[in-house]
Amino acid sequence: MNEKLRVIISGGGTGGHIFPAVSIANSIKAKCPDAEILFVGAEGRMEMQRVPAAGYEIKGLPICGFDRKNLLKNISVLFKIWKSQRMAKQIIKDFRPMVAVGVGGYASGPTLNKAASMGIPCLIQEQNSYAGVTNKLLAKKAAKICVAYEGMERFFPANKIIMTGNPVRQNVLQCEITQQEARRAMGMSPDKKTILLVGGSLGARTINESILQHLDMVKASDIQFVWQTGKYYYAAIMEQMQKYGPLPNLKVTDFIGDMGAAYKAADLVISRAGASSISEFCLIGKPVILVPSPNVAEDHQTKNAMALVNKDAALYVKDSEAPAILLKTALATISDEQKLASLSENILKLGLKDSADIIADEVIKLSKSAH
């Protein structure tokens, strides 16, 4: 290939879409250092900050999702889709990509639709065990479909599917420190059993409630807790904590920058069941209690969780039951060495390594087929 590789990567909306997209871009760059990569995202969404922070250029489309409750609002949505299609066509004309990659999320719809209609080979990456609407629509036009779960023939043509797993954040896998060092770095006792609670940014409310309602249980236990509340809830929670009084075994933070170290410090994690997080737990073999968020399309987090639970690779607590039973379940689990060991062993079996590299290889192969 004499010509420089040019790739468009489109999608976003959540960290679960953006982390894999950036990992794929990094892998393409590692294999083809002079490759040009352009991201296309949705205006006002998280990718417009995260992608430039990772060192890549991004263009925004004015696209958003349909309002299922107020149908009249969808007139403006239809206009935005039309406008996004036109903008996507212009971006593709100017950039002349050899391949287009879609990672799910609003922006990947118009971008990959236009790319396919202009004869550019497309690859889509589906992170969840239940395919998203955009990817289901794009599947007919895609040359390759990279998936992370078995049984995806339910949604996609079997001959296009490649089992690659989900690319994850590099710093989670490359954490070199010991468990004791990780705990010390977080200001915790190095030798005490530790539970990490992460609820995502806005999906944290139920997990937060499950702790706030049982601070006496936290206080009475000899376990230490690291609790990421999410920025949105942090101030209100700190106010309540001050009323309660000091809890030396509970460390509260709004955001954890180094998730690799936080996972390393923990014996057990309590988390939502987003596809990216699950892929990370599988690769590091971390025992986890999953509390799927009910506020996601087609309840896909419950389906993600059950794919692990059915193989005894994770525990599951229903969102509506979490405030009553989550903390009790966690304390019982962390004191059961055998249970922790078997959860760790079973979840490790589900980890698919080198996902970003495998997807990058497919992207490069498709670019050659385009010539």
Side-chain angles (χ1 to χ4, degrees):
M1 263 174 71
N2 306 329
E3 219 182 333
K4 262 187 202 170
L5 173 62
R6 291 184 305 281
V7 183
I8 272 184
I9 300 180
S10 183
T14 65
H17 291 312
I18 299 161
F19 298 135
V22 170
S23 291
I24 294 166
N26 292 343
S27 265
I28 293 169
K29 274 289 203 191
K31 291 168 189 292
C32 304
D34 61 350
E36 289 179 18
I37 298 173
L38 177 66
F39 280 75
V40 179
E43 285 172 1
R45 303 292 293 222
M46 199 195 275
E47 58 265 28
M48 301 310 290
Q49 276 82 48
R50 293 281 173 88
V51 169
Y56 294 99
E57 187 189 346
I58 186 164
K59 305 237 184 247
L61 302 179
I63 188 135
C64 58
F66 282 104
D67 191 322
R68 290 175 193 173
K69 294 190 184 81
N70 185 342
L71 295 178
L72 279 175
K73 284 189 180 163
N74 289 327
I75 295 167
S76 70
V77 175
L78 289 169
F79 174 70
K80 284 176 178 171
I81 291 173
W82 174 79
K83 192 175 170 191
S84 295
Q85 296 265 17
R86 286 190 53 186
M87 286 170 70
K89 187 176 181 179
Q90 195 54 53
I91 290 168
I92 291 164
K93 266 186 167 166
D94 294 342
F95 186 69
R96 304 191 340 276
M98 296 164 183
V99 193
V101 177
V103 293
Y106 301 135
S108 63
T111 309
L112 267 76
N113 256 324
K114 278 297 166 207
S117 70
M118 291 160 81
I120 293 154
C122 297
L123 176 147
I124 57 179
Q125 200 250 330
E126 174 55 63
Q127 289 106 18
N128 291 295
S129 62
Y130 193 91
V133 178
T134 307
N135 277 348
K136 279 194 278 194
L137 294 172
L138 291 171
K140 295 180 202 64
K141 300 175 177 178
K144 293 279 186 237
I145 302 167
C146 298
V147 302
Y149 288 90
E150 292 160 3
M152 297 304 282
E153 305 76 33
R154 312 202 299 286
F155 310 105
F156 302 132
N159 61 334
K160 294 181 178 182
I161 292 175
I162 308 171
M163 186 78 166
T164 59
N166 284 326
V168 301
R169 292 176 281 191
Q170 258 57 38
N171 70 345
V172 169
L173 300 183
Q174 292 160 357
C175 183
E176 297 292 319
I177 57 176
T178 66
Q179 189 168 53
Q180 273 88 359
E181 286 167 346
R183 287 175 185 165
R184 275 198 198 94
M186 301 185 86
M188 314 288 286
S189 159
D191 303 313
K192 266 194 180 173
K193 287 257 170 134
T194 304
I195 295 175
L196 170 69
L197 302 108
V198 274
S201 42
L202 290 173
R205 194 175 78 199
T206 303
I207 291 177
N208 290 345
E209 281 303 316
S210 307
I211 285 274
L212 274 179
Q213 290 179 24
H214 300 289
L215 290 174
D216 47 344
M217 254 158 100
V218 172
K219 191 173 192 172
S221 82
D222 55 354
I223 306 295
Q224 54 192 1
F225 296 80
V226 179
W227 177 16
Q228 177 185 287
T229 62
K231 285 189 163 55
Y232 183 77
Y233 303 102
Y234 182 70
I237 284 171
M238 288 316 283
E239 211 171 294
Q240 276 177 274
M241 297 289 298
Q242 265 151 0
K243 285 179 199 157
Y244 189 86
L247 279 171
N249 62 331
L250 176 61
K251 182 183 168 63
V252 188
T253 176
D254 61 339
F255 177 74
I256 296 170
D258 185 352
M259 280 314 288
Y263 288 153
K264 186 64 74 93
D267 298 282
L268 176 68
V269 179
I270 293 171
S271 169
R272 289 304 199 183
S276 270
S277 302
I278 286 181
S279 295
E280 290 175 347
F281 302 140
C282 290
L283 286 167
I284 59 176
K286 193 55 66 174
V288 61
I289 299 176
L290 296 168
V291 186
S293 168
N295 318 315
V296 293
E298 282 112 356
D299 193 26
H300 68 249
Q301 285 205 1
T302 298
K303 297 177 177 95
N304 290 349
M306 293 321 288
L308 271 70
V309 172
N310 293 335
K311 294 184 172 168
D312 294 324
L315 299 177
Y316 159 70
V317 170
K318 199 174 171 184
D319 185 85
S320 58
E321 294 167 4
I325 66 166
L326 178 59
L327 201 57
K328 229 181 268 171
T329 307
L331 289 169
T333 307
I334 200 165
S335 56
D336 183 342
E337 286 296 342
Q338 237 174 329
K339 185 72 186 163
L340 288 178
S342 80
L343 284 172
S344 179
E345 195 182 318
N346 292 340
I347 201 169
L348 258 180
K349 289 177 193 159
L350 304 178
L352 290 164
K353 290 188 175 69
D354 309 319
S355 302
D357 281 341
I358 298 165
I359 296 167
D361 285 336
E362 292 297 330
V363 171
I364 293 163
K365 261 188 249 171
L366 280 179
S367 75
K368 292 175 179 165
S369 71
H371 289 276

